Amino acid sequence: MRPARPAAGVLHDLVLPWYAAHQRDLPWRRPDRSPWGVLVSEVMLQQTPVSRVLPVWQRWMSLWPTPSALADAAAGEAVREWGRLGYPRRALRLHAAAVAVRDDHGGVVPAEEAVLRTLPGVGDYTAAAVAAFAFGRRATVVDTNVRRVHARAVTGTALPAPSLSRAEVELATALLPEDDARAAVWNVAVMELGALVCTARAPRCGDCPLATVCAWRLAGSPAHDGPPRRGQAWQGTDRQCRGRMVQLLRDSTEPVPGDALRAVWPEEAQRDRCLDALVAEGLVEPLDGGLFRLPGLAS
DNA sequence: GATACGTGGGC
DNA sequence: TGCCCAAGTAT
């Protein structure tokens, strides 16, 4: 027979003390961090490991300690300082979000989830995370870590489905402590558990505070049965081509001739299509004389 | 809802 | 050695 799902209170009493003892000391969690710092961290952490975010976040905070400071800089500076974090459009959107905060919200990062959600690059997850972590609000934060912990501990499956379901959001909401401050800690605690212990590849169940109540463990840790997860192709893709072009511009102080930009990719049609797309998206700015640069930089 | 979107490290 | 994965968003 199937093991009973652990009650919310039981999960709270196991996970919250674990988090108090094992949480990482991350700069965007310190008492002196600002809501802006939290927002920047959340966008940087989208699909990106903590270890790679740390130095870039520190640099951004020193350059642009407030939304207005970033808004007053060129978008291309944001892309340049993004470095090799990946998905550089996030830098562009963070810059656009800073402009929106400066122009529409008095330079103050909004605390309401619904308002945060209107900022460029801020989706359901990031809006909830900023409301919870920067402002202590009782928000339902569902990221890939939370989904995996819930899938195992509560639902009893090895991995969550490819896409977020309504049932998962309802489960996460049902598990949220009533108290605002406690709810905010619960959110980050479950994420931390997923990041450090209940990992995707090789979960460290021996160190898990939920091992005795985990539905997946109690069912014998059955293997993932759903469709195999599709890896992302890389060699020869537009993404690889775009990555090379943006990297060249990022590493160049001066505007780059179109010939030099096109030289990073052998196939004409694909290369031209990628460059056009980068320009259309605002990641690359065309200048007179067949030159290109990151957007908005003085030259 | 499926797909595009970067990058590098770990197993 | 590759394959898988990392605090998602926008279209």
Side-chain angles (χ1 to χ4, degrees), chain A residues 37-288:
Chain A
V38 173
L39 173 57
V40 171
S41 77
E42 290 302 338
V43 174
M44 287 183 173
L45 286 163
Q46 292 167 7
Q47 304 285 284
T48 309
V50 166
S51 59
R52 286 172 44 211
V53 167
L54 279 168
V56 182
W57 185 88
Q58 298 282 11
R59 169 84 176 152
W60 270 54
M61 289 299 102
S62 67
L63 286 173
W64 307 304
T66 64
S68 295
L70 178 60
D72 292 343
E77 282 301 330
V79 174
R80 173 163 289 147
E81 294 298 337
W82 195 254
R84 304 183 66 82
L85 280 187
Y87 295 145
R89 55 172 55 167
R90 289 183 292 167
L92 216 50
R93 293 190 177 132
L94 209 33
H95 181 269
V99 170
V101 169
R102 181 194 63 189
D103 294 348
D104 304 336
H105 304 286
V108 179
V109 175
E112 295 294 332
E113 221 175 316
V115 183
L116 285 161
R117 188 68 179 74
T118 68
L119 299 174
V122 176
D124 289 338
Y125 161 76
T126 303
V130 172
F133 306 148
F135 298 104
R137 300 297 180 89
R138 186 173 182 277
T140 300
V141 180
V142 185
D143 78 327
T144 188
N145 290 304
V146 171
R147 295 185 65 213
R148 191 172 52 251
V149 171
H150 289 174
R152 289 179 183 155
V154 180
T155 312
T157 57
L159 293 171
S163 57
L164 178 65
S165 71
R166 176 159 184 168
E168 288 179 87
V169 176
E170 289 172 356
L171 172 61
T173 302
L175 293 178
L176 210 55
E178 292 297 330
D179 176 68
D180 276 30
R182 204 168 141 86
V185 177
W186 167 252
N187 279 318
V188 71
V190 176
M191 287 175 62
E192 192 78 335
L193 185 63
L196 297 182
V197 175
C198 193
T199 54
R201 205 84 65 92
R204 302 166 55 194
C205 300
D207 297 329
C208 184
L210 297 180
T212 57
V213 300
C214 176
W216 180 59
R217 289 282 288 177
L218 294 176
S221 307
H224 177 60
D225 62 350
R229 300 148 94 86
R230 305 180 58 84
Q232 303 172 340
W234 178 247
Q235 290 299 324
T237 60
D238 285 7
R239 295 161 84 165
Q240 185 182 29
C241 177
R242 292 163 55 104
R244 287 186 187 176
M245 289 182 173
V246 172
Q247 179 178 358
L248 182 63
L249 292 167
R250 212 170 40 218
D251 296 341
S252 170
T253 310
E254 299 300 312
V256 172
D259 287 345
L261 209 46
R262 286 185 281 269
V264 305
W265 201 255
E267 298 181 46
E268 278 183 50
Q270 184 178 23
R271 153 228 292 173
D272 293 347
R273 174 162 45 80
C274 287
L275 181 52
D276 287 349
L278 288 170
V279 170
E281 292 168 33
L283 225 30
V284 173
E285 181 181 357
L287 304 174
D288 292 340

